[in-house]
Amino acid sequence: MKYIDLHVHSVCSDGTFTPEELVELAINNDLIAFALTDHDTVDGVERAILAAKDRNVEVIPGIELSCEYTIEPERKKEIHILGYQLDWKHPGLCEALTAVADERDNRNRKMCANLSAAGYPIDYDSLVARFGNKILTRAHFARFLLEQGAIPSLDAAFKKILAQDGPYFVMRKYLTPKKGIELIQQAGGIPVLAHPLLYKMSVTEIRNMIVELKEYGLKGIEALYSRNRGTDEAFVRKLADEYDLFITGGSDFHGTNKPDIELGRGEGKLRVPVMLLENLK
């Protein structure tokens, strides 16, 4: 059996491997293909494709868009839409991603100010100096604070000071799911709902969300995933059958930012069979 990984992050967002290093790691892990799906950026796609040229691995151009889904007027959730086989140079997509990056940058400046005012050893310029001027996420905040000795672990940072309901968090403006799916489709890509069970929604809410996203053009759903437990995969497969969606699978690899997750193998048992790649052809 040959295997793939359709959910991978690089240093261009919040991973710790360069696109070139991911190609080498994929080959070493006996993968025949992987999708580079960085958060809200396609900056690493061409680098990965060039690194994989004439090698024994295929790089699928992708992205993971952060969107805000409205469950009810006063209750919203950040959800992620994966886009596969898209034109990463599409002008409309690139323009939209620039606006998203600017909005994230403004949010990050405010969060740095909040943390600094509370006595944490962080400021925006130092954060950029450490990680570069790229898509900076809460994972970068956590890594920076850990290196400064201000927190005991990355996990502790997310559960306390970087939590969305915490005192220092700053909400940013997100794409709507409709806009995210439209951007992917305009760039010739295929939209897929990422890790649906991570959003902590009720079964009814998940079903309602899928119905709405299908109206916008959703084609697939991520069923094989590193954090699945018990009957999670079976449940998502059932949803896929009910709503006529194909399934995908991926590790959500972030390098040392998620040290328990390995490329192509998740927490050790994940295997995404190559036949799922046909859904993206």
Side-chain angles (χ1 to χ4, degrees):
M1 176 72 74
K2 296 179 180 179
Y3 298 102
I4 60 177
D5 192 334
L6 299 178
H7 195 156
V8 179
H9 297 277
S10 78
V11 295
C12 294
S13 64
D14 55 348
T16 59
F17 282 66
T18 67
E20 294 81 6
E21 289 170 339
L22 287 174
V23 170
E24 296 299 327
L25 185 59
I27 293 171
N28 291 339
N29 285 8
D30 299 320
L31 299 181
I32 67 165
F34 74 92
L36 185 58
T37 55
D38 277 317
H39 292 285
D40 302 325
T41 182
V42 289
D43 286 352
V45 169
E46 188 163 13
R47 289 171 57 183
I49 290 174
L50 290 174
K53 187 177 181 181
D54 299 324
R55 307 293 301 279
N56 295 322
V57 65
E58 176 187 359
V59 174
I60 299 154
I63 196 168
E64 185 173 14
L65 292 178
S66 303
C67 302
E68 186 175 75
Y69 172 70
T70 300
I71 299 173
E72 51 192 39
E74 300 302 320
R75 185 163 171 246
K76 301 179 180 182
K77 284 278 186 178
E78 178 182 341
I79 67 170
H80 293 170
I81 307 295
L82 294 158
Y84 296 109
Q85 300 289 23
L86 45 71
D87 174 8
W88 65 94
K89 296 181 180 180
H90 186 274
L93 176 66
C94 293
E95 182 180 350
L97 293 181
T98 296
V100 168
D102 289 343
E103 175 62 28
R104 188 189 292 268
D105 182 65
N106 291 332
R107 187 279 301 268
N108 288 342
R109 289 177 183 273
K110 293 175 182 177
M111 278 187 62
C112 280
N114 289 348
L115 289 164
S116 179
Y120 287 97
I122 188 171
D123 63 84
Y124 181 78
D125 290 339
S126 297
L127 192 68
V128 172
R130 168 64 180 85
F131 295 109
N133 189 15
K134 58 182 180 181
I135 297 295
L136 295 175
T137 69
R138 286 183 294 162
H140 296 99
F141 280 75
R143 176 67 62 181
F144 186 91
L145 291 170
L146 182 65
E147 292 173 354
Q148 298 298 313
I151 56 173
S153 68
L154 297 177
D155 188 55
F158 280 98
K159 287 182 176 178
K160 295 181 180 179
I161 63 173
L162 297 178
Q164 290 192 14
D165 57 355
Y168 314 116
F169 183 79
V170 176
M171 184 64 71
R172 65 184 176 91
K173 294 180 181 178
Y174 288 87
L175 295 170
T176 64
K178 181 179 180 181
K179 181 62 176 179
I181 289 173
E182 286 177 352
L183 285 173
I184 291 167
Q185 291 178 319
Q186 288 169 6
I190 304 167
V192 171
L193 177 63
H195 43 59
L197 302 186
L198 286 193
Y199 307 130
K200 301 186 185 305
M201 298 164 63
S202 71
V203 172
T204 298
E205 289 168 346
I206 291 174
R207 291 180 183 278
N208 289 341
M209 176 174 66
I210 291 174
V211 169
E212 182 175 340
L213 298 186
K214 279 266 298 181
E215 292 178 356
Y216 304 146
L218 186 74
K219 300 298 183 183
I221 190 168
E222 190 172 45
L224 286 73
Y225 186 68
S226 293
R227 303 297 191 200
N228 279 352
R229 297 290 184 270
T231 60
D232 287 351
E233 182 182 324
F235 174 64
V236 179
R237 284 179 176 272
K238 185 173 184 292
L239 289 174
D241 287 340
E242 289 180 9
Y243 295 101
D244 192 26
L245 298 169
F246 63 74
I247 63 168
T248 65
S251 64
D252 203 359
F253 179 74
H254 283 70
T256 58
N257 282 337
K258 290 186 178 180
D260 59 325
I261 292 179
E262 186 177 357
L263 183 69
R265 294 166 188 168
E267 296 174 349
K269 297 182 179 180
L270 178 75
R271 294 292 187 276
V272 182
V274 67
M275 68 266 303
L276 295 191
L277 195 57
E278 293 303 313
N279 295 327
L280 306 182
K281 300 296 186 181

